[in-house]
Amino acid sequence: GRIPMQMLDCIPTPTRMSKCAWCCVVVLVVVQTVAMVAEVFFWTCWFEYVCVARDVGGFQGDTISATQFLGKNMGLYNGFLAAGLFWSLREPKGLDARLAFFFASCVLVAGVVGALTVPVPDGKIMLLIGQGLFAACALVALFYPAICPLSD
């Protein structure tokens, strides 16, 4: 059966987005877009310095080109998260904060799971900071108007 909507009322969700929270979401959109571009276009090594597969995923040699489809797939997911966060910035008050809450929560979960599963220590840090920390900041800004006061 379906979950009665009244049961969902106990789950706290933000109702409005402050300017501070809006700015945090903008930063998260940029971070997710950069992640998408990096994974889709720089999974394989470019110029010897930029190689997402090696630096974040821990892949070496032939495995880098063999896993290029994984990079494109992960990049696509990051692109969807960026699009959803951008969508939240364009919605009217009320829906904007709830959309931002949902997509920022997804980014936080992705960052934590990625950090737990990636074998490279630098990759763990990049995922925790690049996704987890920025998503956590956006969620804090969405939930705590005392830190980021609402203003019309």
Side-chain angles (χ1 to χ4, degrees):
R2 293 182 46 163
I3 297 173
M5 290 306 287
Q6 296 84 354
M7 289 181 68
L8 297 178
D9 289 340
C10 66
I11 300 171
T13 55
T15 55
R16 293 181 55 205
M17 194 179 325
S18 67
K19 288 183 181 177
C20 177
W22 192 89
C23 291
C24 288
V25 172
V26 167
V27 169
L28 196 53
V29 168
V30 171
V31 167
Q32 288 303 113
T33 303
V34 167
M36 178 199 68
V37 169
E39 290 169 346
V40 170
F41 299 108
F42 298 108
W43 185 259
T44 57
C45 300
W46 285 46
F47 309 115
E48 209 175 298
Y49 300 107
V50 180
C51 185
V52 175
R54 178 192 65 218
D55 300 337
V56 178
F59 297 114
Q60 300 293 327
D62 292 338
T63 310
I64 292 174
S65 58
T67 58
Q68 189 171 5
F69 70 95
L70 290 174
K72 291 185 185 312
N73 190 291
M74 289 186 290
L76 182 64
Y77 288 126
N78 283 322
F80 285 136
L81 291 172
L85 288 161
F86 182 75
W87 175 31
S88 76
L89 299 172
R90 306 291 303 152
E91 283 300 312
K93 290 186 186 325
L95 183 59
D96 59 347
R98 291 176 183 192
L99 285 170
F101 167 72
F102 172 76
F103 285 104
S105 297
C106 291
V107 173
L108 179 63
V109 169
V112 170
V113 170
L116 290 173
T117 57
V118 165
V120 179
D122 288 345
K124 290 178 184 294
I125 293 168
M126 290 171 69
L127 286 167
L128 271 178
I129 293 173
Q131 286 190 310
L133 181 65
F134 287 112
C137 289
L139 288 169
V140 167
L142 282 164
F143 271 106
Y144 294 104
I147 296 170
C148 297
L150 292 169
S151 59
D152 288 323

